[in-house]
Amino acid sequence: MNLKEKYREFKEWQLRPYQVAPLSQEKHTCATCGTSYQGNYCPRCGQSSRIGRYSLKTAFLLFLDVWGLGNRGMFRSIRDLLLRPGYMIRDYLGGMQMAYFPPFKMFFLLATLSILVNSGLNIRGENQLEQAVQTYERSFDMNIQIIPAEENAAVESGEGKADVELQDRINGSARAFFRFLIDHQTIIELVWLLVLSLPLYVLFRKCPAIPDLFYTEFFVAMVYITNLMNIVSTIFSFFCVDLVIIGLLPPLLSIIALKQLSGYSYLRTIFGLVASFAIISIVVMIIMVLFGVVVGVMMAV
Ligand SMILES: [Zn+2]
């Protein structure tokens, strides 16, 4: 019973937008320009009323400020993204921009942090990126070892030699492609987001919570949802938890976020996601077939 009550309270908290603390009546005199005023910031030069003597806290905030983290509730944004993602994004799109950390800035900061964590800043000091590349390349080496053993006779005859060479070339380009993916993760993630948000937008633009959603707004929402997934996976990478174990958690969180954002049921949300992936797969297949036909025609000519 108590637990049920707690859950109800949590639900209410989730729905409640961020509340700015009421303005104090206290008068301030700006240390920079001498203006007397009430409030948190000097109306003339913009200096914060909280600036006083140099304390450890101000020094720390100024240090964070160098990285663009000192203002606009970075910690509140992370907490809300984890606990009420869709509602927070709705508040942000509704105009509460000062309450939350800007989505694109967060995206690039998280990308940098995730590269740092993945390449060694974790509890084991492991370079997880290098390991991923090695695991992948080992799987290719195994393929290569299997092929000659089976086709040794064919290689001798000459005809199989071309096959092996072709196989080598395909392996080589696949490796280069995988390297490229690892080296350009951030850009690829953004491009993928742009592609994925197209069919998703078509399926979510008339959602009950925001019936007149713009594509740009939806894209911003998608960036926040990606930030949520990146926060979780970076935390797990930091503790070196195997991705296989928690692989389902980020997609699950994205479903919760999309559900809260759109106001659709879980079923409708999942349907939208699955349908979007299906549409993208079909389009990619059509492009590949067309590409194949073009190459085939060119070879024939
Ligand atoms: Zn001032």
Side-chain angles (χ1 to χ4, degrees):
M1 193 60 202
N2 203 4
L3 213 67
K4 215 173 170 181
E5 186 73 7
K6 280 232 165 67
Y7 181 69
R8 200 184 53 80
E9 263 174 34
F10 175 67
K11 275 268 157 208
E12 266 174 26
W13 173 83
Q14 277 190 313
L15 282 165
R16 213 177 306 136
Y18 169 62
Q19 309 228 295
V20 182
L23 205 58
S24 80
Q25 297 297 309
E26 203 184 333
K27 277 228 182 262
H28 304 284
T29 303
C30 177
T32 297
C33 68
T35 309
S36 291
Y37 65 96
Q38 280 180 358
N40 299 332
Y41 293 93
C42 170
R44 191 161 170 201
C45 73
Q47 176 161 304
S48 167
S49 65
R50 271 174 290 188
I51 291 180
R53 300 287 298 275
Y54 251 88
S55 62
L56 201 62
K57 196 187 165 196
T58 21
F60 182 63
L61 282 177
L62 281 173
F63 169 76
L64 284 184
D65 205 40
V66 176
W67 313 96
L69 299 171
N71 53 359
R72 293 236 239 149
M74 179 71 170
F75 296 107
R76 181 193 312 128
S77 303
I78 292 174
R79 181 200 66 189
D80 281 21
L81 262 185
L82 290 172
L83 298 179
R84 54 186 287 273
Y87 303 125
M88 182 209 118
I89 295 168
R90 238 199 267 171
D91 291 343
Y92 182 84
L93 292 179
M96 295 185 70
Q97 300 205 351
M98 285 312 279
Y100 298 107
F101 202 79
F104 287 97
K105 203 166 163 182
M106 198 178 197
F107 178 82
F108 285 106
L109 281 167
L110 278 170
T112 314
L113 183 69
S114 117
I115 289 171
L116 279 178
V117 168
N118 284 324
S119 58
L121 190 74
N122 48 57
I123 52 163
R124 280 194 213 145
E126 276 176 356
N127 188 335
Q128 295 164 353
L129 290 180
E130 206 49 51
Q131 280 176 352
V133 172
Q134 277 169 6
T135 311
Y136 183 79
E137 294 199 332
R138 221 172 296 132
S139 75
F140 262 101
D141 287 343
M142 269 173 2
N143 279 346
I144 292 166
Q145 277 163 9
I146 290 163
I147 291 162
E150 279 176 355
E151 298 188 356
N152 230 350
V155 174
E156 300 298 318
S157 70
E159 196 164 295
K161 205 167 186 172
D163 276 356
V164 172
E165 270 173 17
L166 183 70
Q167 190 65 38
D168 272 354
R169 235 167 37 209
I170 292 171
N171 282 347
S173 5
R175 269 183 204 191
F177 183 63
F178 189 71
R179 268 278 176 197
F180 180 83
L181 290 185
I182 291 270
D183 291 343
H184 300 81
Q185 280 179 57
T186 314
I187 297 300
I188 288 162
E189 203 169 27
L190 264 187
V191 172
W192 163 241
L193 223 52
L194 270 172
V195 171
L196 178 63
S197 57
L198 280 168
L200 268 181
Y201 175 65
V202 175
L203 291 161
F204 282 88
R205 79 203 148 104
K206 293 213 169 87
C207 62
I210 316 176
D212 58 344
L213 192 65
F214 293 159
Y215 174 69
T216 36
E217 290 172 334
F218 187 69
F219 185 66
V220 166
M222 291 290 289
V223 172
Y224 263 134
I225 294 174
T226 309
N227 289 344
L228 163 64
M229 296 198 279
N230 285 344
I231 291 169
V232 173
S233 54
T234 306
I235 292 172
F236 281 110
S237 315
F238 180 76
F239 290 105
C240 296
V241 180
D242 198 350
L243 259 175
V244 181
I245 300 168
I246 52 111
L248 274 179
L249 188 62
L252 224 79
L253 287 170
S254 76
I255 292 172
I256 294 173
L258 261 178
K259 189 226 172 241
Q260 291 178 354
L261 174 76
S262 63
Y264 280 134
S265 64
Y266 273 114
L267 207 65
R268 172 65 176 77
T269 308
I270 293 169
F271 165 76
L273 270 169
V274 171
S276 299
F277 278 106
I279 290 169
I280 292 171
S281 312
I282 290 167
V283 170
V284 167
M285 267 193 275
I286 290 173
I287 290 173
M288 275 167 71
V289 168
L290 284 180
F291 183 75
V293 168
V294 169
V295 169
V297 167
M298 273 165 66
M299 296 263 267
V301 171

